[in-house]
Amino acid sequence: MIRLRGITKYYANAFVKTFVLRNIDLDVKEGEFLTIMGPSGAGKSTLLYILGMLDEACEGEYFFCGQAVHELNEKKRTQLHQQNIGFVFQSYHLIDELTVYENLETPLLYKKVKPDERKSLVADALDRFRIVAKKDLFPNQLSGGQQQLVAVARAVIIQPRLILADEPTGNLNSPQGEEIMALFKKLNCEGTTIIQVTHSEKNASHSDRVIHLLDGWMNNGEKSALPGENPGTGKRKKKHPEGT
Amino acid sequence: MSRNYLKLALRVIRRQKGYSLINTIGLAIGMACCLLIMLWVQNELSYDRFHDKGDRIFRVFQELTLNDRVRTAPETGAMMGPAAIQSIPEAEAAARILPMADTTVKYGEKEFRENHILFTDSEIFSVFSFPLVSGHSATALTAPYTVVLSEKTARKYFGAENPLGKVLQFGGGHAYSVTGVMKDVPRNSHLTFDILCSFASYAKENEYNASYWGNMETYTYFLLAPGADSRSFLAKLNRLSDENIGNKLKKINGGLKVFLQPLRDIHLHSGFESDMAEINDIKTVILFSGIALFILLIACINFINLATARFANRALEVGLRKTMGASRSSLVLHFFVETFVVAMLAAVLAILLTALALPVLNSIAGQEFPYSALSQPLFLLSVFLFTAMVGVLAGSYPAFFLSSFAPVQTMKGKLKAGAASATFRRILVVGQFTVSIALIIGTLTVFKQLRFIQNKNLGFTKEQVMVLPLPDRMAVTRETVREEFAAVNGITNAAISSDVPGVDINMNNYIPQGKTESEGVLMQTMAVDDHFLTTLGMTIVKGRNFSGDMKTDANEALLINETAADRLGWQDPIGKIVTRPAFSNGKHVSIKRKIVGVVKDFHTLSLHQKIEPLVMDNSSWGLRFLSLRFEGQRLPELITAVKAKWRQFFPAIGFDPFFLDEAFARRYQAEERLNKIFSSFAILAIFISCLGLFGLAAYMTERRTKEVGIRKVLGAPVSGIVLLLSREFSIWVLAANLVSWPLAYHFLTRWLEGFAYHARIGIGIFLVSGFSVLLIALLTVSFQAIRAARANPVDSLRYE
């Protein structure tokens, strides 16, 4: 599904190039649950944003479902991302001026979904995430866990093939965090590809594969996709090796 | 989708109350200014549009050359119209109009002073669209001593009675019978009148003036036949004029050229030195419209500045929406909707403000706009247009600027205050203050010139002089009248004259001794008695005044002013002879006069015009003004005493005094208006600018809260912090001074050149304007800065 080759990102000023990512090669299969780990400043988030088509690499090739993203113009890229990718952030990033219902509705508006269909999709999502009672509240009237729940719901509502999560539990206490991770696991089982960035070994343990970044270099360290298994089907319950 | 934006926009407005308030109030004031000015401009442009045949109506104006002087004026001889109708086929109809001096009109017990009376013929009804309510338009003004009244005037005198056939007693002593009533003249007419008297009434008493082509005091209007060529008509009219007067003038080295002015150009495109018409200047219309638009622009700049300065608040949202798949265009639309919502709120408020300010506009512009003017389609359309304009002007930059953020940077919080937008903002603020400062300099300069006018020594004392227009015929001698009034308690002096300063004075040609007619000098001529100079406080610089003891003065002596002495070219004019060619009993005669004294120059007109050469003779010709110099403060009692005396002499004639200083003040109405409008605009401009500055300062102070905290921890005093926060704004205002000073200087110098005598601009006004704006700006900013500087640093540093 995703194929990165030689992805390099640097910030240049007059004299110095500061490298954030160096020559990253990465393949992600449909239905995979991938964790990116690494210390602060290792380039995790940058990599995530490049994958999400919000940022561009300076060098290298990026294929998404066979399409050469690095060759697309902005409009095409926006379309591709609109149809396929949902984002979840550490600090939820709900729009403060909008109610829960409207926050969920917004991506559908941008996708130009028809009103009837929009209503039913939002209703489904509210139902599914058990937040029907909260639909008319504003984000600041919700707890952190609830906000992140809404954020995940918002990411899922466009039925993306790929969810990108940037420290999704970073601002949550552990029971709330567990809930979100369980949700991700469930979505993954239903076939959605998930890539998360995290510091937490515990969260990483939910995933199929972990890659480590250090100073922009990637090493496919301790875990890789289990040979022989096809993660793409994703239907059957997998064994979870305890990483901690 | 758009409904979604709308809802969101309302929420944003509600959440950021202070910010929205600044924007809305600023925009509302700006729009209200524009709407008010628009009402006025629309009215100015509508002048004389109501005449059905308006596109075929022309007014005649003439360029008279005599000796070295050229005078362009809209007055002609009274016979031009009737003569042209006889001989020129292109002319379908001609109307001649001669304004009558203000007078009192009496019917039974009711007596009013009337100041809009015209002499004219019945043709006025065929040329113009002034419909009659009763009477016959073809004959109403044919006979001498007949009048047509406006409905309003008829009601004033006769109430419910039928006015036709009733007789009105005029102040001059004649009785006029009413032969018609017409609809009131619309306000947007350059011709304004309540009473029309038949021209025959005038001709009967002024046979010579009404027939002599060289007596140019009548306004002539032609209605051309449909499809007639105005140029060929004008050529024939010039030929006609040459035959009757032009060729005579050529013989004495002069000339007369006739021109046509379209009816609809009269109100805004005339600019003659004297004109009976209600005229204005298209330049004033453009100036006021421009200033109103500038004020709206200042308000739009507030919006732009605050929106871009607060971009950090919205940047995250923009990034977020982009991650959710928002395209740039949908975000641009989003921000436009927000701006339009604010603009619409402002529009509603602006209509309210306009309604509130309507009486102010009416008093400044001398108009009577009704409140219903605010519900006319054109007005509502312009509200809509201004709203759209504000939406586009104020919304474009923020929309494109805010939607341009790359999501990654905003999400990571890496977005720095865009250096480019800060520079842009600075330029806009400097622009705002440039306009404000220029308007204040303008206000002060106009004010200074007005004060200069009021305090200027006119060469006589205009204060405390009451003038009574005398009737044409009196049972007693003028000297008796004068002596009796001079004896009234409180009156220190009295004089009789043909003219007084502040009233237009006729000009005549005078030939200095030893020169030919073509070397004559055109001079203002007035007849005065021997008390005139002392009563008005004029001084003799050479020679002597007229004297009651010298009976020969009446037929021989002449006083001239200094300018006349200069123009005649004599070092010592005393004893020299000048001759005036005149026309008496159908014969050309020469009137010889000896100069006996030189009067110190005095102003007879407004200070727009240079002092003209002037002669005063001691004849009894045209004596019609009794000037009374009075003393003391008890004016009402004095007026009562003078009125009692008046009744004793002239029981049948209206008592109709005016004051000389007021007559002069009337000549500066346009300047008074300019002063009022300038100062209101200047106050609004500075208010809106400071409103924006307040918002900007609040925001920038907020952003530097942490810096202020650190500095305080490091030991900075409150004053140091206030200085730190105010310094940038001061620099902006100072920069605005640099830009606005030369601009203001340029325009005001040109304005002052319109006065023959004017105040000097002087650096003082510039310094005062600059510093007062700086002070106001600093007060605005320091309110925020002091609050920030006095805050407890612990609060601002607790986070992180």
Side-chain angles (χ1 to χ4, degrees):
Chain A
M1 181 186 199
I2 289 171
R3 183 182 160 85
L4 300 182
R5 283 296 173 270
I7 290 293
T8 300
K9 177 83 180 173
Y10 51 80
Y11 294 104
N13 63 25
F15 306 105
V16 202
K17 274 186 186 173
T18 315
F19 280 90
V20 186
L21 293 173
R22 296 166 195 262
N23 206 21
I24 305 283
D25 294 342
L26 176 67
D27 293 274
V28 181
K29 297 191 183 68
E30 185 104 39
E32 207 175 346
F33 192 160
L34 177 74
T35 300
I36 305 171
M37 294 189 78
S40 291
K44 306 182 298 287
S45 297
T46 307
L47 181 57
L48 200 69
Y49 287 130
I50 290 176
L51 288 169
M53 304 175 200
L54 295 176
D55 204 353
E56 276 182 278
C58 303
E59 289 164 23
E61 297 172 334
Y62 173 17
F63 297 92
F64 184 87
C65 297
Q67 290 204 57
V69 176
H70 55 275
E71 286 168 2
L72 295 179
N73 65 19
E74 197 186 324
K75 205 169 169 187
K76 286 253 175 62
R77 230 173 25 230
T78 304
Q79 252 171 24
L80 196 61
H81 139 220
Q82 218 175 49
Q83 306 295 332
N84 296 301
I85 301 173
F87 267 95
V88 178
F89 303 95
Q90 177 176 1
S91 42
Y92 336 127
H93 284 343
L94 297 174
I95 297 179
D96 289 337
E97 278 79 19
L98 300 182
T99 62
V100 167
Y101 185 97
E102 290 159 349
N103 261 294
L104 293 184
E105 192 185 24
T106 307
L108 298 176
L109 287 169
Y110 287 130
K111 219 176 150 184
K112 300 200 166 57
V113 176
K114 288 192 186 67
D116 291 346
E117 198 185 340
R118 213 159 64 208
K119 259 181 215 158
S120 72
L121 280 172
V122 175
D124 281 354
L126 289 168
D127 228 19
R128 186 162 155 216
F129 290 89
R130 294 193 298 279
I131 45 177
V132 180
K134 311 248 176 344
K135 74 180 170 62
D136 291 326
L137 297 181
F138 286 94
N140 56 13
Q141 295 166 305
L142 301 174
S143 73
Q146 288 165 335
Q147 286 191 46
Q148 194 60 303
L149 208 58
V150 176
V152 174
R154 186 181 64 182
V156 170
I157 201 161
I158 54 161
Q159 295 159 320
R161 295 164 75 180
L162 173 65
I163 289 179
L164 297 172
D166 192 356
E167 305 231 21
T169 61
N171 285 8
L172 303 178
N173 59 28
S174 11
Q176 288 171 335
E178 272 307 312
E179 196 185 343
I180 295 296
M181 287 321 294
L183 195 59
F184 276 158
K185 198 67 217 168
K186 187 163 159 253
L187 289 169
N188 182 236
C189 288
E190 288 163 13
T192 314
T193 313
I194 294 176
I195 301 176
Q196 70 163 343
V197 164
T198 186
H199 283 298
S200 151
E201 291 286 343
K202 193 168 158 224
N203 287 349
S205 68
H206 290 277
S207 60
D208 303 332
R209 178 157 71 116
V210 176
I211 58 167
H212 284 268
L213 284 183
L214 184 63
D215 299 335
W217 298 104
M218 186 179 105
N219 75 71
N220 302 23
E222 39 193 78
K223 255 194 263 176
S224 54
L226 299 175
E229 270 186 309
N230 180 5
T233 59
K235 289 288 180 254
R236 68 206 140 84
K237 196 87 180 144
K238 274 174 279 183
K239 239 169 45 187
H240 303 301
E242 291 302 322
T244 40
Chain B
M1 187 96 144
S2 308
R3 216 178 57 203
N4 189 287
Y5 292 158
L6 205 65
K7 197 162 61 183
L8 183 60
L10 287 173
R11 276 187 208 154
V12 168
I13 289 168
R14 220 177 309 146
R15 189 153 307 190
Q16 310 178 335
K17 284 198 189 72
Y19 164 72
S20 309
L21 205 66
I22 289 179
N23 276 333
T24 317
I25 290 180
L27 288 175
I29 294 178
M31 284 167 84
C33 277
C34 284
L35 289 173
L36 285 167
I37 289 296
M38 205 251 357
L39 272 178
W40 177 74
V41 168
Q42 187 203 327
N43 180 61
E44 289 297 308
L45 297 178
S46 76
Y47 264 74
D48 298 316
R49 302 271 152 180
F50 59 89
H51 297 293
D52 295 335
K53 293 167 259 179
D55 52 338
R56 290 194 276 134
I57 303 175
F58 295 86
R59 182 171 80 167
V60 177
F61 68 95
Q62 306 191 122
E63 188 187 277
L64 170 70
T65 314
L66 204 54
N67 307 325
D68 52 351
R69 271 181 57 101
V70 180
R71 182 166 186 262
T72 310
E75 291 105 340
T76 70
M79 285 313 292
M80 177 186 271
I85 287 296
Q86 298 288 323
S87 58
I88 307 178
E90 279 94 338
E92 185 177 307
R96 51 182 172 171
I97 287 169
L98 177 65
M100 184 198 277
D102 301 357
T103 186
T104 54
V105 176
K106 202 172 157 193
Y107 174 71
E109 291 298 297
K110 289 179 186 162
E111 180 172 14
F112 301 98
R113 178 183 166 85
E114 297 292 347
N115 40 24
H116 290 117
I117 310 178
L118 305 177
F119 286 113
T120 187
D121 302 304
S122 293
E123 274 73 23
I124 191 171
F125 301 115
S126 34
V127 173
F128 299 104
S129 301
F130 294 126
L132 280 183
V133 179
S134 59
H136 300 287
S137 61
T139 54
L141 293 171
T142 311
Y145 306 114
T146 51
V147 284
V148 170
L149 307 179
S150 70
E151 278 186 306
K152 195 178 67 188
T153 313
R155 225 175 298 125
K156 191 166 74 174
Y157 286 100
F158 307 113
E161 290 175 65
N162 179 10
L164 288 189
K166 296 271 182 331
V167 175
L168 290 171
Q169 197 65 41
F170 275 52
H174 291 288
Y176 286 74
S177 63
V178 180
T179 51
V181 177
M182 49 169 258
K183 284 224 171 304
D184 291 341
V185 176
R187 286 194 70 86
N188 53 356
S189 166
H190 84 277
L191 284 171
T192 48
F193 52 89
D194 304 313
I195 301 177
L196 295 175
C197 296
S198 63
F199 198 87
S201 337
Y202 172 79
K204 195 161 181 188
E205 283 169 57
N206 302 275
E207 211 174 319
Y208 169 71
N209 279 347
S211 58
Y212 177 46
W213 280 65
N215 176 48
M216 296 163 193
E217 50 180 19
T218 309
Y219 294 81
T220 304
Y221 296 81
F222 284 108
L223 172 68
L224 297 196
D229 179 18
S230 64
R231 263 172 304 178
S232 93
F233 169 72
L234 183 59
K236 289 175 194 169
L237 191 62
N238 262 305
R239 225 170 297 143
L240 182 70
S241 164
D242 279 347
E243 284 163 18
N244 285 287
I245 175 79
N247 293 337
K248 286 179 202 157
L249 286 165
K250 270 177 203 146
K251 276 184 216 149
I252 55 164
N253 206 12
L256 186 69
K257 264 164 95 181
V258 178
F259 300 90
L260 292 178
Q261 180 183 30
L263 172 72
R264 283 163 188 172
D265 280 0
I266 294 176
H267 181 63
L268 288 176
H269 300 273
S270 281
F272 298 115
E273 261 179 45
S274 72
D275 200 327
M276 65 160 173
E278 287 263 317
I279 60 160
N280 209 333
D281 192 349
I282 187 76
K283 275 190 224 145
T284 317
V285 173
I286 293 169
L287 176 72
F288 289 170
S289 318
I291 294 178
L293 283 177
F294 263 121
I295 296 211
L296 187 58
L297 193 66
I298 288 180
C300 287
I301 289 179
N302 276 356
F303 189 96
I304 295 171
N305 276 345
L306 291 176
T308 54
R310 299 171 60 92
F311 69 96
N313 297 31
R314 304 305 295 275
L316 179 66
E317 186 195 328
V318 170
L320 214 52
R321 285 180 180 274
K322 283 194 173 174
T323 65
M324 290 194 282
S327 62
R328 176 102 191 249
S329 56
S330 69
L331 287 168
V332 168
L333 180 68
H334 178 149
F335 285 113
F336 261 121
V337 170
E338 266 193 42
T339 314
F340 271 98
V341 170
V342 174
M344 276 186 270
L345 282 178
V348 173
L349 193 59
I351 294 177
L352 266 163
L353 288 176
T354 309
L356 282 175
L358 206 56
V360 182
L361 174 71
N362 283 339
S363 84
I364 292 179
Q367 293 287 347
E368 280 172 16
F369 294 113
Y371 284 107
S372 63
L374 304 188
S375 59
Q376 275 165 7
L378 196 64
F379 180 82
L380 295 175
L381 179 73
S382 45
V383 170
F384 177 78
L385 282 178
F386 281 128
T387 312
M389 197 174 92
V390 164
V392 171
L393 264 179
S396 303
Y397 184 75
F400 286 99
F401 174 72
L402 290 171
S403 64
S404 70
F405 298 141
V408 179
Q409 289 167 329
T410 66
M411 313 286 278
K412 284 181 179 168
K414 269 185 187 166
L415 198 67
K416 290 193 198 93
S421 82
T423 311
F424 183 63
R425 213 153 48 232
R426 246 168 248 148
I427 292 171
L428 290 183
V429 171
V430 169
Q432 281 184 314
F433 278 91
T434 301
V435 174
S436 304
I437 294 169
L439 281 174
I440 291 182
I441 295 175
T443 308
L444 292 179
T445 309
V446 173
F447 181 72
K448 190 174 175 185
Q449 173 65 10
L450 277 176
R451 229 183 37 188
F452 173 84
I453 288 168
Q454 280 149 12
N455 297 343
K456 164 110 180 140
N457 183 359
L458 296 177
F460 68 96
T461 319
K462 67 175 189 294
E463 288 78 18
Q464 303 211 302
V465 178
M466 187 198 294
V467 183
L468 301 173
L470 293 173
D472 300 340
R473 278 178 279 242
M474 296 190 292
V476 288
T477 66
R478 291 197 178 80
E479 186 53 28
T480 317
V481 171
R482 195 200 71 77
E483 276 168 10
E484 285 284 331
F485 277 95
V488 172
N489 196 15
I491 303 290
T492 57
N493 223 332
I496 293 183
S497 58
S498 63
D499 303 87
V500 289
V503 171
D504 285 314
I505 299 175
N506 282 340
M507 298 193 93
N508 287 100
N509 198 21
Y510 286 87
I511 302 148
Q513 85 186 60
K515 300 276 174 70
T516 63
E517 189 166 352
S518 62
E519 292 167 295
V521 178
L522 213 52
M523 301 202 272
Q524 293 182 323
T525 309
M526 54 200 280
V528 304
D529 66 8
D530 48 324
H531 299 277
F532 186 74
L533 297 188
T534 42
T535 303
L536 267 76
M538 295 165 181
T539 44
I540 293 272
V541 289
K542 258 185 205 146
R544 62 170 178 89
N545 191 359
F546 297 128
S547 160
D549 302 332
M550 306 198 49
K551 298 297 174 207
T552 51
D553 273 2
N555 294 320
E556 290 173 6
L558 204 63
L559 293 173
I560 59 173
N561 70 357
E562 291 170 304
T563 307
D566 193 49
R567 202 66 62 84
L568 290 166
W570 288 321
Q571 278 292 330
D572 181 17
I574 305 297
K576 297 276 199 310
I577 306 287
V578 292
T579 339
R580 173 157 76 95
F583 197 75
S584 173
N585 297 327
K587 277 182 286 187
H588 287 281
V589 293
S590 291
I591 299 170
K592 272 200 170 68
R593 290 278 193 272
K594 190 168 81 180
I595 296 167
V596 296
V598 178
V599 182
K600 190 171 160 45
D601 271 345
F602 61 92
H603 289 268
T604 58
L605 298 168
S606 76
L607 297 191
H608 288 285
Q609 283 130 40
K610 281 211 172 310
I611 293 179
E612 298 280 355
L614 173 137
V615 304
M616 294 189 248
D617 62 30
N618 195 209
S619 70
S620 59
W621 157 82
L623 293 177
R624 56 182 174 136
F625 289 114
L626 174 64
S627 305
L628 305 175
R629 174 161 297 283
F630 55 91
E631 243 181 13
Q633 306 299 319
R634 311 170 99 175
L635 198 54
E637 285 152 43
L638 181 79
I639 291 178
T640 316
V642 172
K643 187 169 183 177
K645 185 62 82 182
W646 180 268
R647 284 279 167 258
Q648 189 184 323
F649 278 106
F650 315 109
I653 291 169
F655 175 68
D656 205 12
F658 65 89
F659 294 89
L660 216 48
D661 45 0
E662 286 171 9
F664 261 86
R666 265 199 291 280
R667 292 189 171 260
Y668 304 109
Q669 269 172 348
E671 284 74 25
E672 292 278 0
R673 183 182 308 162
L674 193 65
N675 189 37
K676 279 185 199 152
I677 291 194
F678 252 126
S679 50
S680 347
F681 274 151
I683 289 169
L684 289 177
I686 194 82
F687 176 73
I688 301 178
S689 301
C690 283
L691 210 59
L693 201 60
F694 186 81
L696 214 53
Y699 178 72
M700 291 178 80
T701 311
E702 182 189 311
R703 248 188 40 207
R704 293 173 80 170
T705 310
K706 193 177 157 201
E707 182 194 339
V708 169
I710 294 171
R711 282 178 189 271
K712 280 193 87 172
V713 169
L714 294 177
V718 170
S719 60
I721 304 242
V722 172
L723 191 70
L724 171 84
L725 293 172
S726 317
R727 197 175 49 200
E728 190 179 352
F729 294 101
S730 316
I731 292 171
W732 296 355
V733 175
L734 288 175
N737 272 309
L738 286 185
V739 183
S740 72
W741 286 12
L743 280 176
Y745 182 81
H746 174 73
F747 286 109
L748 290 170
T749 317
R750 277 179 46 189
W751 180 73
L752 284 174
E753 277 166 6
F755 292 87
Y757 305 88
H758 57 77
R760 266 194 280 167
I761 299 187
I763 187 79
I765 282 178
F766 289 82
L767 289 176
V768 167
S769 310
F771 276 111
S772 53
V773 171
L774 183 63
L775 199 69
I776 295 170
L778 276 181
L779 278 175
T780 312
V781 172
S782 59
F783 177 78
Q784 302 286 351
I786 289 170
R787 210 170 58 172
R790 294 181 62 175
N792 186 347
V794 177
D795 295 331
S796 55
L797 297 179
R798 185 169 292 155
Y799 303 99
E800 326 238 335

